[in-house]
Amino acid sequence: LAALSDLNASIASSTLQQSHVAEEINQNINRVAGLAGTSTAAAQQASNASESLAQLARNLTGLLSQFKV
């Protein structure tokens, strides 16, 4: 009977530890998802800035083409 009680206590302890680990994994997944969202937003901003620079370069090329050396 004591062995069965010890086994039950061990199972309860293991279950609690697994619950804590599962919660930690869940928190880490949420952090990764948040970082992925931040990275996506930063990539979109970089893409927009690149397109703006390309447009400025085209405008500058057009302006410079008006000059003759």
Side-chain angles (χ1 to χ4, degrees):
L1 188 60
L4 187 57
S5 180
D6 289 344
L7 184 57
N8 281 339
S10 178
I11 291 170
S13 176
S14 296
T15 301
L16 184 60
Q17 288 175 348
Q18 286 180 347
S19 177
H20 289 303
V21 168
E23 180 58 32
E24 187 176 340
I25 289 170
N26 186 47
Q27 289 174 358
N28 288 336
I29 288 171
N30 287 334
R31 284 187 193 114
V32 168
L35 291 172
T38 301
S39 293
T40 300
Q44 184 61 48
Q45 288 177 344
S47 175
N48 292 343
S50 178
E51 182 56 39
S52 293
L53 284 173
Q55 183 61 44
L56 287 171
R58 287 189 291 272
N59 291 346
L60 184 57
T61 299
L63 290 171
L64 289 175
S65 70
Q66 297 175 13
F67 292 98
K68 304 213 183 222
V69 180

Short mmCIF file of all heavy atoms in Angstrom, two decimals:
data_model
loop_
_atom_site.label_atom_id
_atom_site.label_comp_id
_atom_site.label_asym_id
_atom_site.label_seq_id
_atom_site.Cartn_x
_atom_site.Cartn_y
_atom_site.Cartn_z
N LEU A 1 0.82 -1.19 0.00
CA LEU A 1 0.00 0.00 0.00
C LEU A 1 0.87 1.27 0.00
O LEU A 1 0.56 2.23 -0.67
CB LEU A 1 -0.93 -0.02 1.22
CG LEU A 1 -1.99 1.08 1.27
CD1 LEU A 1 -2.90 1.01 0.05
CD2 LEU A 1 -2.79 0.98 2.55
N ALA A 2 1.97 1.22 0.74
CA ALA A 2 2.89 2.36 0.78
C ALA A 2 3.52 2.58 -0.59
O ALA A 2 3.72 3.72 -1.03
CB ALA A 2 3.95 2.15 1.84
N ALA A 3 3.85 1.48 -1.28
CA ALA A 3 4.44 1.59 -2.61
C ALA A 3 3.46 2.24 -3.57
O ALA A 3 3.85 3.06 -4.42
CB ALA A 3 4.86 0.22 -3.12
N LEU A 4 2.19 1.89 -3.46
CA LEU A 4 1.17 2.47 -4.32
C LEU A 4 1.00 3.96 -4.03
O LEU A 4 0.87 4.78 -4.95
CB LEU A 4 -0.16 1.74 -4.13
CG LEU A 4 -1.29 2.11 -5.07
CD1 LEU A 4 -0.87 1.90 -6.52
CD2 LEU A 4 -2.53 1.30 -4.75
N SER A 5 1.06 4.33 -2.79
CA SER A 5 0.97 5.73 -2.40
C SER A 5 2.17 6.52 -2.92
O SER A 5 2.02 7.64 -3.42
CB SER A 5 0.91 5.84 -0.88
OG SER A 5 0.82 7.19 -0.49
N ASP A 6 3.36 5.91 -2.82
CA ASP A 6 4.57 6.56 -3.36
C ASP A 6 4.47 6.72 -4.87
O ASP A 6 4.88 7.74 -5.42
CB ASP A 6 5.81 5.74 -3.00
CG ASP A 6 6.17 5.82 -1.52
OD1 ASP A 6 5.64 6.73 -0.83
OD2 ASP A 6 6.96 4.97 -1.07
N LEU A 7 3.94 5.70 -5.53
CA LEU A 7 3.77 5.77 -6.98
C LEU A 7 2.80 6.87 -7.37
O LEU A 7 3.05 7.62 -8.31
CB LEU A 7 3.31 4.41 -7.52
CG LEU A 7 3.19 4.27 -9.03
CD1 LEU A 7 4.52 4.58 -9.71
CD2 LEU A 7 2.72 2.88 -9.40
N ASN A 8 1.71 6.98 -6.64
CA ASN A 8 0.74 8.05 -6.91
C ASN A 8 1.35 9.42 -6.70
O ASN A 8 1.12 10.35 -7.48
CB ASN A 8 -0.50 7.88 -6.01
CG ASN A 8 -1.44 6.83 -6.54
OD1 ASN A 8 -1.43 6.49 -7.71
ND2 ASN A 8 -2.28 6.30 -5.65
N ALA A 9 2.14 9.58 -5.66
CA ALA A 9 2.81 10.85 -5.40
C ALA A 9 3.80 11.17 -6.51
O ALA A 9 3.92 12.32 -6.96
CB ALA A 9 3.52 10.81 -4.05
N SER A 10 4.51 10.16 -6.98
CA SER A 10 5.47 10.35 -8.07
C SER A 10 4.76 10.76 -9.36
O SER A 10 5.21 11.65 -10.07
CB SER A 10 6.26 9.07 -8.28
OG SER A 10 7.15 9.21 -9.35
N ILE A 11 3.64 10.12 -9.63
CA ILE A 11 2.86 10.46 -10.84
C ILE A 11 2.33 11.89 -10.74
O ILE A 11 2.39 12.65 -11.71
CB ILE A 11 1.71 9.45 -11.05
CG1 ILE A 11 2.28 8.09 -11.44
CG2 ILE A 11 0.73 9.95 -12.08
CD1 ILE A 11 1.25 6.97 -11.44
N ALA A 12 1.83 12.26 -9.56
CA ALA A 12 1.32 13.62 -9.36
C ALA A 12 2.43 14.65 -9.56
O ALA A 12 2.24 15.68 -10.21
CB ALA A 12 0.71 13.75 -7.98
N SER A 13 3.61 14.36 -9.03
CA SER A 13 4.74 15.27 -9.17
C SER A 13 5.16 15.39 -10.64
O SER A 13 5.41 16.49 -11.13
CB SER A 13 5.91 14.76 -8.34
OG SER A 13 7.05 15.58 -8.53
N SER A 14 5.21 14.26 -11.33
CA SER A 14 5.59 14.28 -12.75
C SER A 14 4.56 15.04 -13.58
O SER A 14 4.92 15.79 -14.49
CB SER A 14 5.71 12.85 -13.28
OG SER A 14 6.77 12.17 -12.63
N THR A 15 3.29 14.86 -13.25
CA THR A 15 2.23 15.56 -13.97
C THR A 15 2.36 17.07 -13.77
O THR A 15 2.21 17.85 -14.72
CB THR A 15 0.85 15.08 -13.48
OG1 THR A 15 0.75 13.67 -13.71
CG2 THR A 15 -0.27 15.78 -14.21
N LEU A 16 2.65 17.49 -12.55
CA LEU A 16 2.83 18.91 -12.27
C LEU A 16 4.02 19.47 -13.03
O LEU A 16 3.95 20.56 -13.62
CB LEU A 16 3.01 19.12 -10.76
CG LEU A 16 3.12 20.57 -10.29
CD1 LEU A 16 1.86 21.35 -10.67
CD2 LEU A 16 3.34 20.61 -8.79
N GLN A 17 5.13 18.71 -13.04
CA GLN A 17 6.32 19.16 -13.79
C GLN A 17 6.01 19.27 -15.28
O GLN A 17 6.41 20.25 -15.93
CB GLN A 17 7.48 18.18 -13.58
CG GLN A 17 8.09 18.26 -12.20
CD GLN A 17 9.17 17.20 -11.99
OE1 GLN A 17 9.32 16.27 -12.78
NE2 GLN A 17 9.92 17.34 -10.90
N GLN A 18 5.30 18.32 -15.82
CA GLN A 18 4.94 18.36 -17.24
C GLN A 18 4.04 19.55 -17.54
O GLN A 18 4.16 20.19 -18.59
CB GLN A 18 4.25 17.06 -17.67
CG GLN A 18 5.19 15.90 -17.80
CD GLN A 18 4.49 14.62 -18.21
OE1 GLN A 18 3.27 14.53 -18.18
NE2 GLN A 18 5.27 13.62 -18.59
N SER A 19 3.16 19.86 -16.61
CA SER A 19 2.28 21.01 -16.78
C SER A 19 3.09 22.30 -16.84
O SER A 19 2.84 23.17 -17.68
CB SER A 19 1.28 21.06 -15.63
OG SER A 19 0.47 22.21 -15.73
N HIS A 20 4.08 22.42 -15.95
CA HIS A 20 4.94 23.61 -15.96
C HIS A 20 5.75 23.70 -17.25
O HIS A 20 5.89 24.79 -17.83
CB HIS A 20 5.88 23.60 -14.74
CG HIS A 20 5.21 23.86 -13.44
ND1 HIS A 20 4.46 24.99 -13.18
CD2 HIS A 20 5.15 23.12 -12.31
CE1 HIS A 20 3.99 24.94 -11.96
NE2 HIS A 20 4.39 23.80 -11.40
N VAL A 21 6.27 22.59 -17.71
CA VAL A 21 7.04 22.57 -18.95
C VAL A 21 6.15 22.94 -20.14
O VAL A 21 6.54 23.72 -21.01
CB VAL A 21 7.72 21.20 -19.16
CG1 VAL A 21 8.29 21.08 -20.57
CG2 VAL A 21 8.81 20.98 -18.12
N ALA A 22 4.94 22.40 -20.15
CA ALA A 22 4.01 22.72 -21.24
C ALA A 22 3.68 24.21 -21.25
O ALA A 22 3.61 24.84 -22.32
CB ALA A 22 2.73 21.90 -21.11
N GLU A 23 3.50 24.80 -20.07
CA GLU A 23 3.22 26.24 -19.99
C GLU A 23 4.42 27.05 -20.47
O GLU A 23 4.26 28.04 -21.18
CB GLU A 23 2.87 26.63 -18.55
CG GLU A 23 2.57 28.10 -18.37
CD GLU A 23 1.44 28.63 -19.24
OE1 GLU A 23 0.49 27.86 -19.53
OE2 GLU A 23 1.50 29.80 -19.63
N GLU A 24 5.62 26.61 -20.12
CA GLU A 24 6.83 27.31 -20.57
C GLU A 24 6.97 27.22 -22.09
O GLU A 24 7.31 28.21 -22.75
CB GLU A 24 8.06 26.72 -19.89
CG GLU A 24 9.34 27.48 -20.18
CD GLU A 24 10.53 26.92 -19.41
OE1 GLU A 24 10.34 26.21 -18.41
OE2 GLU A 24 11.66 27.20 -19.85
N ILE A 25 6.68 26.06 -22.64
CA ILE A 25 6.73 25.90 -24.10
C ILE A 25 5.70 26.81 -24.75
O ILE A 25 5.99 27.47 -25.76
CB ILE A 25 6.49 24.42 -24.49
CG1 ILE A 25 7.70 23.57 -24.10
CG2 ILE A 25 6.19 24.29 -25.98
CD1 ILE A 25 7.47 22.08 -24.22
N ASN A 26 4.51 26.88 -24.19
CA ASN A 26 3.47 27.76 -24.72
C ASN A 26 3.91 29.22 -24.72
O ASN A 26 3.72 29.95 -25.70
CB ASN A 26 2.19 27.58 -23.91
CG ASN A 26 1.04 28.35 -24.49
OD1 ASN A 26 0.79 28.30 -25.69
ND2 ASN A 26 0.34 29.08 -23.66
N GLN A 27 4.53 29.65 -23.62
CA GLN A 27 5.02 31.03 -23.54
C GLN A 27 6.11 31.28 -24.58
O GLN A 27 6.13 32.34 -25.23
CB GLN A 27 5.56 31.31 -22.14
CG GLN A 27 4.48 31.40 -21.08
CD GLN A 27 5.04 31.53 -19.68
OE1 GLN A 27 6.26 31.52 -19.46
NE2 GLN A 27 4.16 31.65 -18.70
N ASN A 28 7.00 30.32 -24.76
CA ASN A 28 8.06 30.48 -25.76
C ASN A 28 7.50 30.53 -27.17
O ASN A 28 7.97 31.32 -28.01
CB ASN A 28 9.09 29.35 -25.63
CG ASN A 28 9.95 29.49 -24.40
OD1 ASN A 28 10.12 30.59 -23.87
ND2 ASN A 28 10.47 28.40 -23.90
N ILE A 29 6.49 29.72 -27.45
CA ILE A 29 5.86 29.76 -28.77
C ILE A 29 5.21 31.12 -29.01
O ILE A 29 5.32 31.69 -30.10
CB ILE A 29 4.84 28.61 -28.92
CG1 ILE A 29 5.58 27.28 -29.05
CG2 ILE A 29 3.91 28.83 -30.10
CD1 ILE A 29 4.69 26.06 -28.99
N ASN A 30 4.56 31.65 -27.98
CA ASN A 30 3.95 32.97 -28.11
C ASN A 30 5.00 34.05 -28.35
O ASN A 30 4.79 34.98 -29.14
CB ASN A 30 3.11 33.30 -26.87
CG ASN A 30 1.83 32.50 -26.82
OD1 ASN A 30 1.30 32.08 -27.84
ND2 ASN A 30 1.32 32.28 -25.62
N ARG A 31 6.16 33.93 -27.68
CA ARG A 31 7.24 34.89 -27.91
C ARG A 31 7.76 34.80 -29.34
O ARG A 31 8.00 35.82 -30.00
CB ARG A 31 8.40 34.63 -26.94
CG ARG A 31 8.12 35.11 -25.54
CD ARG A 31 9.37 34.97 -24.66
NE ARG A 31 9.02 35.13 -23.28
CZ ARG A 31 9.09 34.17 -22.36
NH1 ARG A 31 9.56 32.98 -22.68
NH2 ARG A 31 8.74 34.40 -21.12
N VAL A 32 7.93 33.57 -29.82
CA VAL A 32 8.41 33.38 -31.20
C VAL A 32 7.40 33.97 -32.19
O VAL A 32 7.78 34.64 -33.15
CB VAL A 32 8.67 31.88 -31.48
CG1 VAL A 32 8.87 31.64 -32.96
CG2 VAL A 32 9.87 31.40 -30.70
N ALA A 33 6.11 33.74 -31.94
CA ALA A 33 5.08 34.29 -32.82
C ALA A 33 5.13 35.82 -32.81
O ALA A 33 5.01 36.46 -33.87
CB ALA A 33 3.70 33.80 -32.40
N GLY A 34 5.33 36.40 -31.64
CA GLY A 34 5.44 37.86 -31.56
C GLY A 34 6.65 38.38 -32.31
O GLY A 34 6.57 39.39 -33.02
N LEU A 35 7.77 37.70 -32.16
CA LEU A 35 8.99 38.10 -32.87
C LEU A 35 8.83 37.95 -34.38
O LEU A 35 9.33 38.78 -35.15
CB LEU A 35 10.19 37.29 -32.38
CG LEU A 35 10.64 37.60 -30.95
CD1 LEU A 35 11.71 36.60 -30.51
CD2 LEU A 35 11.16 39.02 -30.84
N ALA A 36 8.13 36.91 -34.79
CA ALA A 36 7.89 36.72 -36.23
C ALA A 36 7.05 37.86 -36.77
O ALA A 36 7.31 38.37 -37.87
CB ALA A 36 7.20 35.38 -36.48
N GLY A 37 6.06 38.28 -36.01
CA GLY A 37 5.23 39.41 -36.44
C GLY A 37 6.04 40.69 -36.54
O GLY A 37 5.90 41.47 -37.48
N THR A 38 6.91 40.90 -35.57
CA THR A 38 7.78 42.08 -35.58
C THR A 38 8.72 42.04 -36.78
O THR A 38 8.94 43.05 -37.45
CB THR A 38 8.59 42.16 -34.27
OG1 THR A 38 7.67 42.23 -33.17
CG2 THR A 38 9.49 43.36 -34.24
N SER A 39 9.27 40.86 -37.05
CA SER A 39 10.18 40.72 -38.20
C SER A 39 9.45 40.97 -39.51
O SER A 39 10.00 41.61 -40.42
CB SER A 39 10.78 39.31 -38.22
OG SER A 39 11.63 39.13 -37.13
N THR A 40 8.23 40.49 -39.60
CA THR A 40 7.43 40.71 -40.81
C THR A 40 7.19 42.21 -41.02
O THR A 40 7.33 42.71 -42.14
CB THR A 40 6.09 39.96 -40.72
OG1 THR A 40 6.36 38.57 -40.58
CG2 THR A 40 5.24 40.19 -41.93
N ALA A 41 6.83 42.90 -39.94
CA ALA A 41 6.59 44.34 -40.05
C ALA A 41 7.86 45.08 -40.45
O ALA A 41 7.83 45.99 -41.30
CB ALA A 41 6.05 44.88 -38.73
N ALA A 42 8.98 44.70 -39.87
CA ALA A 42 10.26 45.34 -40.20
C ALA A 42 10.64 45.07 -41.65
O ALA A 42 11.13 45.97 -42.36
CB ALA A 42 11.36 44.86 -39.26
N ALA A 43 10.40 43.87 -42.13
CA ALA A 43 10.71 43.53 -43.52
C ALA A 43 9.84 44.35 -44.47
O ALA A 43 10.31 44.83 -45.51
CB ALA A 43 10.51 42.04 -43.77
N GLN A 44 8.57 44.54 -44.10
CA GLN A 44 7.67 45.34 -44.94
C GLN A 44 8.14 46.80 -44.98
O GLN A 44 8.12 47.43 -46.03
CB GLN A 44 6.24 45.26 -44.40
CG GLN A 44 5.23 45.98 -45.28
CD GLN A 44 5.16 45.42 -46.68
OE1 GLN A 44 5.07 44.21 -46.86
NE2 GLN A 44 5.22 46.26 -47.68
N GLN A 45 8.56 47.32 -43.83
CA GLN A 45 9.08 48.69 -43.79
C GLN A 45 10.34 48.82 -44.65
O GLN A 45 10.50 49.82 -45.36
CB GLN A 45 9.38 49.12 -42.35
CG GLN A 45 8.13 49.36 -41.53
CD GLN A 45 8.46 49.71 -40.08
OE1 GLN A 45 9.57 49.49 -39.61
NE2 GLN A 45 7.48 50.22 -39.37
N ALA A 46 11.21 47.84 -44.58
CA ALA A 46 12.44 47.87 -45.39
C ALA A 46 12.09 47.82 -46.87
O ALA A 46 12.70 48.52 -47.68
CB ALA A 46 13.35 46.71 -45.01
N SER A 47 11.11 47.00 -47.22
CA SER A 47 10.68 46.91 -48.61
C SER A 47 10.11 48.24 -49.10
O SER A 47 10.42 48.70 -50.21
CB SER A 47 9.64 45.80 -48.76
OG SER A 47 9.13 45.75 -50.06
N ASN A 48 9.29 48.86 -48.26
CA ASN A 48 8.71 50.16 -48.62
C ASN A 48 9.79 51.22 -48.78
O ASN A 48 9.74 52.02 -49.73
CB ASN A 48 7.70 50.61 -47.56
CG ASN A 48 6.45 49.75 -47.53
OD1 ASN A 48 6.17 49.00 -48.47
ND2 ASN A 48 5.71 49.82 -46.44
N ALA A 49 10.76 51.23 -47.88
CA ALA A 49 11.86 52.19 -47.97
C ALA A 49 12.68 51.95 -49.23
O ALA A 49 13.08 52.91 -49.91
CB ALA A 49 12.75 52.09 -46.73
N SER A 50 12.90 50.71 -49.57
CA SER A 50 13.65 50.38 -50.78
C SER A 50 12.92 50.86 -52.03
O SER A 50 13.54 51.42 -52.94
CB SER A 50 13.85 48.86 -50.84
OG SER A 50 14.53 48.50 -52.02
N GLU A 51 11.62 50.67 -52.06
CA GLU A 51 10.83 51.14 -53.21
C GLU A 51 10.86 52.66 -53.30
O GLU A 51 10.97 53.22 -54.38
CB GLU A 51 9.39 50.64 -53.11
CG GLU A 51 8.53 51.03 -54.28
CD GLU A 51 9.08 50.60 -55.64
OE1 GLU A 51 9.62 49.49 -55.73
OE2 GLU A 51 8.97 51.40 -56.60
N SER A 52 10.80 53.33 -52.16
CA SER A 52 10.88 54.79 -52.15
C SER A 52 12.24 55.26 -52.67
O SER A 52 12.31 56.22 -53.46
CB SER A 52 10.66 55.33 -50.74
OG SER A 52 9.34 55.10 -50.32
N LEU A 53 13.30 54.60 -52.25
CA LEU A 53 14.63 54.96 -52.73
C LEU A 53 14.76 54.72 -54.24
O LEU A 53 15.36 55.52 -54.95
CB LEU A 53 15.70 54.16 -51.98
CG LEU A 53 16.00 54.62 -50.56
CD1 LEU A 53 16.93 53.65 -49.87
CD2 LEU A 53 16.58 56.02 -50.56
N ALA A 54 14.18 53.63 -54.70
CA ALA A 54 14.22 53.34 -56.13
C ALA A 54 13.49 54.43 -56.91
O ALA A 54 13.97 54.88 -57.97
CB ALA A 54 13.61 51.97 -56.42
N GLN A 55 12.35 54.87 -56.39
CA GLN A 55 11.60 55.94 -57.06
C GLN A 55 12.39 57.24 -57.06
O GLN A 55 12.44 57.95 -58.07
CB GLN A 55 10.24 56.14 -56.39
CG GLN A 55 9.37 57.18 -57.08
CD GLN A 55 9.05 56.81 -58.52
OE1 GLN A 55 8.71 55.68 -58.81
NE2 GLN A 55 9.18 57.76 -59.42
N LEU A 56 13.02 57.55 -55.95
CA LEU A 56 13.86 58.76 -55.88
C LEU A 56 15.02 58.67 -56.88
O LEU A 56 15.36 59.67 -57.53
CB LEU A 56 14.40 58.96 -54.46
CG LEU A 56 13.38 59.42 -53.42
CD1 LEU A 56 13.99 59.36 -52.03
CD2 LEU A 56 12.89 60.83 -53.73
N ALA A 57 15.61 57.50 -57.00
CA ALA A 57 16.71 57.32 -57.95
C ALA A 57 16.21 57.52 -59.38
O ALA A 57 16.90 58.14 -60.21
CB ALA A 57 17.32 55.93 -57.80
N ARG A 58 15.02 57.00 -59.69
CA ARG A 58 14.46 57.21 -61.04
C ARG A 58 14.20 58.69 -61.29
O ARG A 58 14.49 59.21 -62.37
CB ARG A 58 13.18 56.40 -61.21
CG ARG A 58 13.40 54.91 -61.35
CD ARG A 58 12.12 54.16 -61.74
NE ARG A 58 11.13 54.15 -60.67
CZ ARG A 58 11.05 53.24 -59.70
NH1 ARG A 58 11.95 52.25 -59.65
NH2 ARG A 58 10.11 53.30 -58.78
N ASN A 59 13.66 59.38 -60.28
CA ASN A 59 13.40 60.82 -60.42
C ASN A 59 14.71 61.58 -60.62
O ASN A 59 14.78 62.48 -61.48
CB ASN A 59 12.68 61.36 -59.19
CG ASN A 59 11.26 60.85 -59.06
OD1 ASN A 59 10.70 60.29 -60.00
ND2 ASN A 59 10.67 61.02 -57.89
N LEU A 60 15.72 61.24 -59.87
CA LEU A 60 17.01 61.91 -59.99
C LEU A 60 17.63 61.65 -61.37
O LEU A 60 18.17 62.56 -62.00
CB LEU A 60 17.96 61.43 -58.89
CG LEU A 60 19.33 62.10 -58.82
CD1 LEU A 60 19.18 63.62 -58.66
CD2 LEU A 60 20.13 61.53 -57.68
N THR A 61 17.51 60.41 -61.84
CA THR A 61 18.02 60.10 -63.17
C THR A 61 17.32 60.93 -64.23
O THR A 61 17.95 61.44 -65.15
CB THR A 61 17.83 58.58 -63.45
OG1 THR A 61 18.55 57.84 -62.49
CG2 THR A 61 18.32 58.22 -64.84
N GLY A 62 16.00 61.09 -64.08
CA GLY A 62 15.25 61.91 -65.03
C GLY A 62 15.68 63.37 -64.99
O GLY A 62 15.83 64.01 -66.03
N LEU A 63 15.91 63.87 -63.79
CA LEU A 63 16.35 65.27 -63.66
C LEU A 63 17.75 65.46 -64.24
O LEU A 63 18.03 66.45 -64.92
CB LEU A 63 16.33 65.70 -62.20
CG LEU A 63 14.95 65.88 -61.58
CD1 LEU A 63 15.07 66.10 -60.08
CD2 LEU A 63 14.20 67.04 -62.23
N LEU A 64 18.64 64.50 -63.95
CA LEU A 64 20.00 64.61 -64.45
C LEU A 64 20.08 64.47 -65.96
O LEU A 64 20.98 65.04 -66.60
CB LEU A 64 20.89 63.57 -63.77
CG LEU A 64 21.21 63.82 -62.30
CD1 LEU A 64 21.99 62.67 -61.72
CD2 LEU A 64 21.97 65.13 -62.12
N SER A 65 19.15 63.76 -66.54
CA SER A 65 19.18 63.57 -68.00
C SER A 65 18.88 64.88 -68.74
O SER A 65 19.14 65.00 -69.93
CB SER A 65 18.19 62.48 -68.41
OG SER A 65 16.86 62.93 -68.23
N GLN A 66 18.34 65.86 -68.04
CA GLN A 66 18.04 67.15 -68.65
C GLN A 66 19.31 67.98 -68.86
O GLN A 66 19.31 68.91 -69.67
CB GLN A 66 17.06 67.94 -67.78
CG GLN A 66 15.71 67.27 -67.65
CD GLN A 66 14.80 68.01 -66.70
OE1 GLN A 66 15.06 69.14 -66.31
NE2 GLN A 66 13.72 67.36 -66.30
N PHE A 67 20.36 67.64 -68.15
CA PHE A 67 21.61 68.40 -68.28
C PHE A 67 22.47 67.76 -69.36
O PHE A 67 22.55 66.56 -69.51
CB PHE A 67 22.39 68.39 -66.96
CG PHE A 67 21.72 69.16 -65.86
CD1 PHE A 67 20.96 68.50 -64.92
CD2 PHE A 67 21.82 70.54 -65.80
CE1 PHE A 67 20.33 69.20 -63.90
CE2 PHE A 67 21.20 71.25 -64.80
CZ PHE A 67 20.45 70.59 -63.84
N LYS A 68 23.13 68.62 -70.12
CA LYS A 68 24.04 68.15 -71.15
C LYS A 68 25.43 68.65 -70.80
O LYS A 68 25.62 69.78 -70.42
CB LYS A 68 23.61 68.67 -72.51
CG LYS A 68 22.21 68.29 -72.85
CD LYS A 68 22.04 68.07 -74.28
CE LYS A 68 20.56 67.76 -74.45
NZ LYS A 68 20.11 66.82 -75.24
N VAL A 69 26.38 67.75 -70.96
CA VAL A 69 27.76 68.12 -70.63
C VAL A 69 28.50 68.46 -71.90
O VAL A 69 28.37 67.91 -72.92
CB VAL A 69 28.46 66.97 -69.89
CG1 VAL A 69 29.88 67.36 -69.54
CG2 VAL A 69 27.68 66.63 -68.64
#
